[in-house]
Amino acid sequence: MVDFTLTDEQTDMRELAHNFAEKEMRPVAWELDKYCAWPGDVIQKAWEVGLMNTHIPEEYGGPGLDFLTGCLIEEEIGWGCSGIGTSLMCNGLATAPIVLGGSEEIKQKYLGMLTEEPKLASFCLTEPDAGSDVSGMRTTAVRQGDKYILNGSKCFITNGSYADYYTVYAKTDKEAGHKGISAFVVEREWDGVTVDKKEDKLGQRASNTATISFNDVEVPAENLLFEENRGFKLAMMTLDRTRPGVAAMAVGIARAAFEFARDYSKERVQFGVPIAMHQAIQFMIADMSTKVEAGRLLTWQSASLLDQGKRNTLASSHAKRFAADSAMEVTVDAVQVYGGYGFIKEYPVEKLMRDAKIMQLYEGTSQIQRLVIAREVLMPRRVDEPAPAAA
Ligand code: CAA
């Protein structure tokens, strides 16, 4: 039997997130977008009400919520404002490698840091010449006694300017391709870490995106995550866990656009009737609704596989690919329903269209998701493997 009934806790968390999105995010979202402003106050409030770090296990001070609950929260946050939402949810991506591959001391220190205070962490994988092709990275970490010397540069880092620490991927064996990558926790205040360029973006302008450089940074050997040269696998396992959340955020954007378009179509009169009476508009609204519902189902499936301890690589790429592409399609159609007004900043939907674009790009483009899906369905053997253990 497939039962979509949520537990009381899941329903409560979803309601908490929805109320937060409505009262704390929506009223400031368009202004923050306009000025590309940092949502520090919203982050502080989200931390206080318990909407951040929900994935951190109880033994490190978090609530240890399941993945499905995390997705319920992310959909509401995405509905409120995905720009602010990306900043709010970034700790989940940055700390997944620690949850999966950190030693007990590292978990206590760095997960505890986020649950004790409203601090931030960032995930540093992408480089100027290594985006989809993770193994092409050039950042290096060379072992010297009880430390590694880190050199390189990471770009498009969410919350990069504000993070207290980074989970950084670097080559520890330059000749070994994906088998020569390792992951480390690196603090922003350490000598040699610099926050460089802050990006001026098309959408999600309330989230901070920066370049971070590492120049002879001394990283204690105990800050190595998982095992040396197994960082690529750790990155892939991390993305399997976080892509359902990205999909949920995309569903939230699509749902917001659908609701705005649906309501507007009932008010706007053309040819003597509300445009909702015209079949051309009805079919667009119908397709929007289907895409929201289908995206949510794929998202829930990908999260619930994780909650059952099963490998979700295929489901996670299905969800992320479909929900991200749907968010783009639905927001473009919402602008179309608004007609000329949709193109004007005074109306809400052009922001959603700009915000949706990044969903098809970050945490693996829609093309990379298709590549993963193709490999998984052409080699079904891998699908049935158990979730890889972290240690
Ligand atoms: N789980 C565990 N292991 C996995 C795995 C998974 N999901 N996927 C692959 N692996 C393993 C493979 O089994 C293989 O293992 P062996 O060495 O034992 O053989 C190894 O990893 C290499 O796998 P591939 O041959 O598939 O590797 P590839 O080089 O072809 O790359 C890829 C595959 C899917 C393209 C991958 O590079 C990828 O996901 N790229 C996209 C990266 C991405 O999402 N970047 C976004 C960064 S985060 C972000 O956006 C920043 C932000 O702040 C928002």
Side-chain angles (χ1 to χ4, degrees):
M1 188 180 87
V2 178
D3 183 357
F4 296 106
T5 310
L6 301 177
T7 64
D8 288 346
E9 186 186 40
Q10 287 169 333
T11 308
D12 290 349
M13 287 308 295
R14 180 160 74 170
E15 201 178 312
L16 176 72
H18 182 77
N19 290 338
F20 187 84
E22 194 167 42
K23 295 191 176 72
E24 305 292 347
M25 297 174 73
R26 282 250 173 128
V28 295
W30 277 264
E31 199 71 0
L32 292 175
D33 171 77
K34 184 172 173 186
Y35 296 108
C36 220
W38 174 243
D41 291 348
V42 187
I43 292 174
Q44 171 80 30
K45 286 178 193 159
W47 186 85
E48 283 167 10
V49 300
L51 286 172
M52 287 180 69
N53 307 310
T54 54
H55 60 289
I56 293 185
E58 287 175 4
E59 54 267 44
Y60 309 110
L65 297 182
D66 57 38
F67 287 95
L68 180 56
T69 309
C71 286
L72 298 172
I73 293 170
E74 290 211 39
E75 180 181 329
E76 298 311 316
I77 296 297
W79 176 89
C81 172
S82 62
I84 304 172
T86 289
S87 286
L88 288 182
M89 295 300 152
C90 180
N91 279 2
L93 171 64
T95 56
I98 300 177
V99 172
L100 282 166
S103 65
E104 189 52 32
E105 292 72 30
I106 290 292
K107 285 180 183 167
Q108 291 287 356
K109 181 172 177 184
Y110 290 107
L111 298 178
M113 200 185 268
L114 304 185
T115 54
E116 279 154 23
E117 283 180 71
K119 293 194 165 189
L120 299 171
S122 295
F123 183 75
C124 294
L125 184 68
T126 304
E127 298 185 3
D129 295 316
S132 296
D133 179 14
V134 173
S135 336
M137 70 173 61
R138 293 189 190 155
T139 297
T140 55
V142 177
R143 177 104 193 205
Q144 271 183 19
D146 60 357
K147 51 183 167 303
Y148 289 83
I149 308 299
L150 184 68
N151 278 290
S153 187
K154 298 285 177 178
C155 64
F156 304 153
I157 304 308
T158 301
N159 289 355
S161 308
Y162 298 92
D164 294 279
Y165 66 83
Y166 309 104
T167 42
V168 183
Y169 293 79
K171 283 268 170 81
T172 32
D173 182 346
K174 282 201 262 184
E175 312 306 320
H178 74 267
K179 290 184 196 282
I181 293 171
S182 305
F184 303 89
V185 182
V186 179
E187 298 186 23
R188 190 183 66 182
E189 294 304 321
W190 287 351
D191 285 347
V193 179
T194 45
V195 177
D196 296 331
K197 188 176 164 219
K198 178 195 161 193
E199 305 294 349
D200 185 7
K201 298 171 299 187
L202 171 76
Q204 297 206 349
R205 290 165 58 81
S207 75
N208 169 269
T209 307
T211 295
I212 313 297
S213 296
F214 306 98
N215 188 10
D216 286 334
V217 179
E218 295 187 7
V219 183
E222 60 263 26
N223 278 35
L224 171 75
L225 298 173
F226 204 14
E227 293 164 18
E228 194 176 83
N229 295 328
R230 296 200 72 200
F232 185 93
K233 214 158 200 123
L234 185 62
M236 295 303 115
M237 289 156 61
T238 292
L239 293 166
D240 282 352
R241 291 162 79 95
T242 57
R243 283 175 180 157
V246 179
M249 182 104 66
V251 173
I253 298 172
R255 194 180 106 217
F258 157 71
E259 289 173 2
F260 279 124
R262 178 197 60 197
D263 297 348
Y264 182 78
S265 73
K266 291 197 267 187
E267 290 163 14
R268 171 79 172 162
V269 175
Q270 290 291 278
F271 302 104
V273 290
I275 59 172
M277 302 302 286
H278 299 301
Q279 198 179 58
I281 300 295
Q282 287 175 357
F283 282 10
M284 286 169 83
I285 300 285
D287 284 351
M288 288 179 185
S289 176
T290 305
K291 284 171 186 170
V292 170
E293 296 300 315
R296 184 183 296 120
L297 286 178
L298 286 173
T299 301
W300 284 19
Q301 183 198 31
S302 66
S304 86
L305 283 171
L306 279 174
D307 288 330
Q308 293 166 51
K310 292 183 180 160
R311 183 168 177 169
N312 76 333
T313 305
L314 174 61
S316 150
S317 283
H318 272 316
K320 206 270 178 183
R321 202 291 292 162
F322 184 84
D325 288 353
S326 294
M328 196 68 248
E329 292 157 12
V330 169
T331 54
V332 167
D333 280 353
V335 170
Q336 194 68 21
V337 169
Y338 271 71
Y341 293 110
F343 203 61
I344 308 289
K345 284 193 180 286
E346 210 179 313
Y347 291 81
V349 285
E350 63 83 34
K351 172 184 179 295
L352 298 179
M353 187 177 86
R354 289 186 286 106
D355 287 347
K357 186 61 209 170
I358 191 66
M359 310 311 291
Q360 296 178 299
L361 302 172
Y362 67 20
E363 292 204 33
T365 62
S366 291
Q367 287 66 33
I368 288 296
Q369 306 311 326
R370 286 184 175 87
L371 185 144
V372 172
I373 292 165
R375 287 181 182 178
E376 292 284 331
V377 298
L378 292 167
M379 291 176 279
R381 176 182 57 83
R382 289 174 59 179
V383 182
D384 300 326
E385 285 172 14

